[in-house]
Amino acid sequence: TVHIIDFSRASSNPLNPLGLNLRKHIWEELDKALNNEEVTSVVLTGGKSGNFSAGADIKEFSQLNSVAAGTNTYSLVDVVDKIENFPKPVVAAISGVALGGGLEVALSSHYRIADKSGKFGLPEVNVGVIPGAGGTQRLPRLVSFQTALTMILTGKPIKAGKAKQSGLVDHITSNGESVLTSAMKWAEWAALMPLDDRRVGSLKIKETHEEVEMIASVAGKRLPPPNKGGQGLRAAIEATKACTKPIKEGAAVELKLFLQTLAGEEGKAKRHAFFAVRKAQKPLGKPPSKHPLLQKSVASETVAVVGAGLMGSGICMVLLQAGFTVYLVDVYKQSLDKGVAFLKGTIQSYVKRGRMTEEIAAKMLKSLKPSQKLEDLASCSLVVEAVIEDMKIKKKIFSSLDKITSPSCIILSNTSTLDVDEMASAVSPQRQSLFAGWHFFSPAHIMKLVEIVSGKATSPSTICVLQSLTRRIGKIGVVVGNCDGFLGNRMLISYSGETALLLEEGAGSVPSIDKAFIDFGMAMGPLQMGDMAGLDIGY
């Protein structure tokens, strides 16, 4: 018989993180399968969650130094070794994500069966560490060293089709067959076949030592310096190069470097940022389940951006990418034409660079509705104002929108500093609960952060809708209060003021001041940032 180990039975999280409870569950279930003579093979499955496993429970990272001392019972290192050396065939049935430790469990299995929803990756570098349970050793043995190194250094997952093509998975289900059914068939078949050549750790990589060194050297030249976020990436290269050694020796190198990156300042900083972003995006409540802006398909849903300048056009681009029909409104034809030209140019550049298909580009352009009339926005579910930072102009626009749009339409301002409550006073009292700030950072279609500004009359339901919508469009939404500069610009006021004084007092030139900030660790200098955002914003 086939013994099924269902991860969801030991995990309430749909992503099946490999915390202690799940690791213990896998270990004990393997022991049951070993001691039952009727069991001929084992299948690992994520179960009802629809995901195999998203990897380690990052909250446990602070305890992981105990791995080195051998005191962390059921460590992931021990679990994957137990799977790989198991005397009966182990088949991984993969739906959804198999990331980080989840992929390391799959790699230690003797066969990997996936459906089309499968996503495979080792994203550990994003939280300042390297794979620590054999990922850098087993992945290059299955796929090419180049492919493995790219996956490890970028942290980007690959889809099932590419995983099959590269040799990472053995079979992708088709014709509606479930991945569990297919995996059980493979498990029955595997019980009749030799097992030794299916242990990935016993395989040798295809490349020569010289080829490995050359590929690693080229990759290393593209990395940021060690003091600019490059420490973990360099450790990842060193660990992956160790795949030329026998698995035990290579795994020892990997574990040593994993613990180094775990204890390093860069790793701690990246994990702090990781948790901070998650905490900032924590939903403040549950949005209405049938809200038109949050439906699975929003192609028939109309939204609008008022103002076709740099910010307005960028926000329009984001909404088009999310699948909405979008009106871009500007009373000045020259500004409107310029905004439309920007959108067309940006969309075509995405197609040229392979970031978007011709079909999606054509669909987006068809969904773009340029207009010079606010009256065209009567059917909109949401309108974002993105005109010049002038309170009188904004209030005039909001007063008009209040009369034109339906009573359920959410009205938002992209203001970076102005008083949201004063703007809300331009709409009717009944509308004020649907009024808020939605502040994008320039360029809006690239920068991830969005401030969701809650006014005194903004309803919790509106904030929850905006949190969900911001996630939907691929941005990081942070709920902030209504104050001068909100959060981002409030910090920048002092930062930019000191920069101006340094320049005015002759303490340094424009390049030297920017360099000082970059050397400190900022992505760009404050004067460079001003050039990119536009000096008229600060002025």
Side-chain angles (χ1 to χ4, degrees):
T1 61
V2 178
H3 185 77
I4 297 172
I5 301 179
D6 184 340
F7 295 174
S8 66
R9 289 185 181 174
S11 174
S12 58
N13 187 323
L15 293 175
N16 292 331
L18 286 155
L20 177 59
N21 284 345
L22 180 49
R23 298 196 305 272
K24 185 181 178 185
H25 175 69
I26 295 169
W27 189 282
E28 290 175 348
E29 289 297 313
L30 286 171
D31 282 343
K32 284 182 192 175
L34 181 63
N35 296 324
N36 187 340
E37 290 183 2
E38 291 184 6
V39 171
T40 56
S41 52
V42 173
V43 169
L44 305 177
T45 172
K48 61 185 179 184
S49 72
N51 288 299
F52 188 70
S53 172
D57 185 345
I58 197 171
K59 292 174 185 172
E60 291 186 353
F61 272 23
S62 60
Q63 307 159 19
L64 287 184
N65 281 305
S66 58
V67 174
T71 58
N72 187 1
T73 53
Y74 309 107
S75 76
L76 191 55
V77 173
D78 292 336
V79 169
V80 297
D81 283 347
K82 187 179 180 80
I83 293 169
E84 183 165 86
N85 296 307
F86 203 66
K88 300 175 182 181
V90 180
V91 180
I94 303 160
S95 285
V97 297
L99 303 175
L103 181 56
E104 288 173 316
V105 167
L107 288 167
S108 67
S109 303
H110 307 125
Y111 296 88
R112 286 152 296 282
I113 311 303
D115 62 23
K116 289 178 182 177
S117 71
K119 287 184 181 177
F120 307 81
L122 293 170
E124 286 84 352
V125 292
N126 295 327
V127 289
V129 293
I130 66 169
T136 64
Q137 303 306 299
R138 292 187 178 90
L139 186 60
R141 285 171 159 85
L142 268 186
V143 304
S144 70
F145 182 82
Q146 175 85 61
T147 300
L149 193 60
T150 300
M151 287 177 68
I152 291 164
L153 291 179
T154 63
K156 292 179 180 176
I158 60 173
K159 293 181 180 179
K162 192 170 181 183
K164 173 71 168 68
Q165 190 181 1
S166 66
L168 179 51
V169 299
D170 298 292
H171 176 69
I172 298 174
T173 60
S174 59
N175 301 323
E177 185 177 42
S178 79
V179 70
L180 182 58
T181 301
S182 182
M184 289 178 72
K185 287 179 184 175
W186 276 69
E188 289 169 359
W189 171 76
L192 307 173
M193 304 295 290
L195 196 53
D196 286 345
D197 65 343
R198 298 302 307 180
R199 302 186 203 280
V200 177
S202 67
L203 304 177
K204 289 187 177 179
I205 66 166
K206 303 170 188 70
E207 294 83 359
T208 64
H209 183 76
E210 290 73 22
E211 286 171 333
V212 165
E213 287 293 335
M214 182 187 72
I215 293 166
S217 174
V218 171
K221 288 173 183 174
R222 297 172 182 164
L223 300 182
N227 65 335
K228 295 285 178 70
Q231 290 174 10
L233 294 168
R234 282 172 169 73
I237 289 179
E238 286 307 307
T240 310
K241 280 168 59 179
C243 70
T244 56
K245 304 174 185 287
I247 186 70
K248 281 194 175 179
E249 290 179 34
V253 172
E254 178 192 77
L255 183 58
K256 182 182 176 183
L257 289 165
F258 168 77
L259 292 171
Q260 280 180 13
T261 55
L262 182 69
E265 291 301 310
E266 180 187 296
K268 290 176 184 175
K270 284 192 173 183
R271 286 189 296 283
H272 170 82
F274 176 81
F275 282 118
V277 168
R278 287 180 70 181
K279 188 177 179 181
Q281 293 183 95
K282 187 177 180 182
L284 299 183
K286 198 172 180 181
S289 58
K290 294 184 178 179
H291 197 281
L293 294 170
L294 305 179
Q295 298 310 300
K296 192 171 183 181
S297 174
V298 291
S300 60
E301 211 56 48
T302 306
V303 298
V305 180
V306 179
L310 183 66
M311 287 302 295
S313 300
I315 296 168
C316 184
M317 178 72 186
V318 172
L319 292 169
L320 285 168
Q321 285 179 290
F324 291 98
T325 296
V326 188
Y327 275 94
L328 180 63
V329 181
D330 202 303
V331 292
Y332 298 105
K333 189 174 186 306
Q334 189 179 356
S335 298
L336 185 62
D337 290 346
K338 191 176 177 183
V340 170
F342 164 81
L343 288 165
K344 288 180 177 177
T346 304
I347 290 167
Q348 284 309 313
S349 73
Y350 281 13
V351 173
K352 235 179 232 183
R353 287 181 282 163
R355 291 183 59 185
M356 187 183 289
T357 64
E358 289 276 6
E359 187 184 357
I360 291 172
K363 194 176 177 183
M364 282 174 63
L365 289 171
K366 191 179 177 183
S367 299
L368 173 62
K369 309 291 182 186
S371 172
Q372 288 181 262
K373 297 177 182 177
L374 290 177
E375 289 74 19
D376 289 340
L377 310 187
S379 62
C380 288
S381 302
L382 173 141
V383 179
V384 190
E385 166 276 312
V387 301
I388 189 169
E389 289 285 80
D390 184 300
M391 183 63 83
K392 282 185 180 178
I393 294 173
K394 288 180 185 288
K395 287 175 79 171
K396 187 178 178 182
I397 290 169
F398 293 133
S399 179
S400 298
L401 288 172
D402 187 38
K403 296 178 181 73
I404 292 165
T405 58
S406 71
S408 61
C409 177
I410 294 175
I411 298 179
L412 306 171
S413 174
N414 179 56
T415 182
S416 56
T417 55
L418 297 181
D419 186 346
V420 168
D421 290 331
E422 187 179 343
M423 285 186 277
S425 70
V427 302
S428 64
Q430 295 81 3
R431 174 85 68 176
Q432 288 176 10
S433 65
L434 296 172
F435 191 97
W438 208 32
H439 176 224
F440 288 71
F441 288 79
S442 182
H445 61 298
I446 294 172
M447 302 297 278
K448 286 285 188 183
L449 182 62
V450 175
E451 292 174 326
I452 300 167
V453 189
S454 179
K456 64 183 179 184
T458 311
S459 72
S461 175
T462 298
I463 294 298
C464 291
V465 168
L466 290 175
Q467 282 188 295
S468 296
L469 179 61
T470 306
R471 272 195 302 276
R472 180 179 194 138
I473 63 174
K475 302 294 185 183
I476 297 168
V478 179
V479 179
V480 298
N482 178 31
C483 62
D484 187 33
F486 312 131
L487 182 60
N489 283 314
R490 196 176 183 187
M491 290 190 290
L492 279 175
I493 288 167
S494 299
Y495 173 72
S496 302
E498 290 300 321
T499 301
L501 288 171
L502 284 171
L503 196 61
E504 193 176 82
E505 292 167 5
S509 63
V510 169
S512 69
I513 292 170
D514 276 339
K515 185 177 182 299
F517 281 93
I518 291 166
D519 289 344
F520 176 71
M522 305 300 283
M524 63 171 59
L527 298 162
Q528 279 178 298
M529 184 183 66
D531 286 338
M532 186 183 79
L535 296 177
D536 57 317
I537 301 293
Y539 180 79

